[in-house]
């Protein structure tokens, strides 16, 4: 698990950091949080689900079952043509501060380095290079996260979210994979809403609702990756043409057009 440390020029000006080596850090993740802004990029490749955390639901993409992320290859490469924004900032994050409502720019302490890696701060004490670019990226993601949560809360208030007992078929001679604790949009409930309630879902909430429903057609993506791991996971071998099979784009941009 990451050990997050808040960065400051007074304490870390002379330190560098080691960039992430692929996505090994995420190889045991079952889900990843998503944003409204990236829905068009996500839909061709992921199943969007809703998970309940406390009193609220959170939109996420399903990455696997058990303790394996089916989108991470044995060599750490992401097996998909789009990496969710919530994973691209690592080893950095915006962590909650001790002051309510405030966040700090933090790094996983395992990536701090005394004499290796890239600089965190410049001579003026400002974030440098990739660290500065990542801070800007995470700030934009955090801004869109608030809008995403508002959309999900609107769907919850409308009463159109239901439990989803999901079973993933894996082919002949293999037991199906069962995933518990997931939620989805109840299409019938959505269609039959009273006009005044339906009107409250115009815009972002409705986009999220239909994105979740449309994404259920991508369950085969999980099956494809489960098959990949079954064939290559034990030997740690990865095909030379992996890029042509699961090419990925993981740059630090917020241009989802």
């Amino acid at each position: 698990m990451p050990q997050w440390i808040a960065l400051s020029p007074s304490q870390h000006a002379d330190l560098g950091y080691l960039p992430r080596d692929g996505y090994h850090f995420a190889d045991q993740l079952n889900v990843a949080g998503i944003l409204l802004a990236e829905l068009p990029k996500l839909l061709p490749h992921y199943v969007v689900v809703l998970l309940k955390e406390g009193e609220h639901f959170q939109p996420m993409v399903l990455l696997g079952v058990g303790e394996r992320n089916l989108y991470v290859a044995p060599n750490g490469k992401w097996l998909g043509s789009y990496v969710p924004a919530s994973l691209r900032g690592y080893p950095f994050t915006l962590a909650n501060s001790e002051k309510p409502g405030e966040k700090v720019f933090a790094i996983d302490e395992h990536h701090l380095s005394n004499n290796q890696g890239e600089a965190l701060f410049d001579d003026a004490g400002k974030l440098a290079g990739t660290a500065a670019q990542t801070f800007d990226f995470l700030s934009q993601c955090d801004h869109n996260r608030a809008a995403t949560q508002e959309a999900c809360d609107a769907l919850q208030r409308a009463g159109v979210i239901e439990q989803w007992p999901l079973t993933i078929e894996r082919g002949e001679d293999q037991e199906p994979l069962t995933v518990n604790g997931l939620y989805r949009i109840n299409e019938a409930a959505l269609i039959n809403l009273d006009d005044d309630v339906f009107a409250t879902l115009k815009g972002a909430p409705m986009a999220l609702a239909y994105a979740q429903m449309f994404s259920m057609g991508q369950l085969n993506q999980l099956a494809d990756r489960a098959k990949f791991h079954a064939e290559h996971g034990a030997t740690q071998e990865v095909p030379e043409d992996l890029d042509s099979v699961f090419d990925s784009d993981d740059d630090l941009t917020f241009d989802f057009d």
Side-chain angles (χ1 to χ4, degrees):
M1 294 293 292
Q3 300 295 319
W4 300 112
I5 296 178
L7 289 171
S8 71
S10 62
Q11 298 182 48
H12 307 106
D14 297 329
L15 297 181
Y17 78 95
L18 303 175
R20 59 174 167 77
D21 178 19
Y23 288 89
H24 290 294
F25 73 93
D27 61 9
Q28 294 184 1
L29 290 181
N30 296 73
V31 294
I34 60 172
L35 304 170
L36 281 172
E38 60 184 334
L39 286 178
K41 294 281 190 178
L42 292 166
L43 286 182
H45 313 289
Y46 297 92
V47 178
V48 176
V49 301
L50 301 172
L51 267 65
K52 195 168 188 180
E53 296 186 352
E55 298 298 319
H56 298 269
F57 287 94
Q58 308 285 336
M60 301 188 178
V61 285
L62 186 61
L63 302 177
V65 294
E67 296 182 351
R68 167 174 286 180
N69 181 343
L70 297 175
Y71 283 78
V72 178
N75 67 349
K77 183 175 178 61
W78 193 262
L79 300 177
S81 61
Y82 178 79
V83 182
S86 61
L87 301 179
R88 277 185 273 148
Y90 187 85
F92 300 102
T93 191
L94 285 182
N96 291 326
S97 167
E98 295 179 354
K99 298 180 180 179
E102 293 187 9
K103 295 194 174 184
V104 294
F105 189 49
I107 188 172
D108 183 349
E109 68 174 356
H110 299 100
H111 285 259
L112 283 175
S113 173
N114 288 318
N115 51 21
Q116 298 183 61
E118 300 182 27
L120 289 165
F121 296 94
D122 60 22
D123 293 338
K126 296 182 179 180
L127 288 171
T130 303
Q133 183 184 9
T134 306
F135 175 76
D136 181 63
F137 172 74
L138 291 174
S139 298
Q140 293 181 67
C141 289
D142 193 59
H143 178 74
N144 193 254
R145 189 169 292 110
T148 304
Q149 188 61 61
E150 289 178 5
C152 201
D153 288 346
L155 294 171
Q156 183 177 0
R157 289 192 298 270
V160 296
I161 298 176
E162 66 174 2
Q163 287 189 321
W164 184 15
L166 176 62
T167 299
I168 302 173
E169 298 294 336
R170 295 193 295 170
E172 296 181 4
D173 302 323
Q174 295 192 68
E175 290 292 328
L177 299 174
T178 301
V179 188
N180 298 312
L182 303 181
Y183 293 79
R184 63 182 175 186
I185 299 299
N186 183 321
E187 184 175 8
L190 182 67
I191 293 173
N192 292 301
L193 284 174
D194 292 339
D195 290 345
D196 56 340
V197 179
F198 191 87
T200 66
L201 302 182
K202 292 179 62 176
M206 194 62 70
L208 179 58
Y210 277 100
Q212 191 286 310
M213 291 188 291
F214 290 155
S215 77
M216 291 190 291
Q218 301 302 336
L219 286 171
N220 64 301
Q221 296 279 349
L222 288 173
D224 289 345
R225 285 156 181 78
K227 181 179 178 181
F228 174 89
H229 281 281
E231 294 175 350
H232 303 286
T235 62
Q236 300 294 304
E237 294 180 358
V238 178
E240 293 182 1
D241 63 344
L242 182 61
D243 285 351
S244 65
V245 179
F246 297 112
D247 191 21
S248 64
D249 176 10
D250 61 355
D251 62 350
L252 288 168
T253 63
F254 203 74
D255 181 9
F256 298 120
D257 296 333

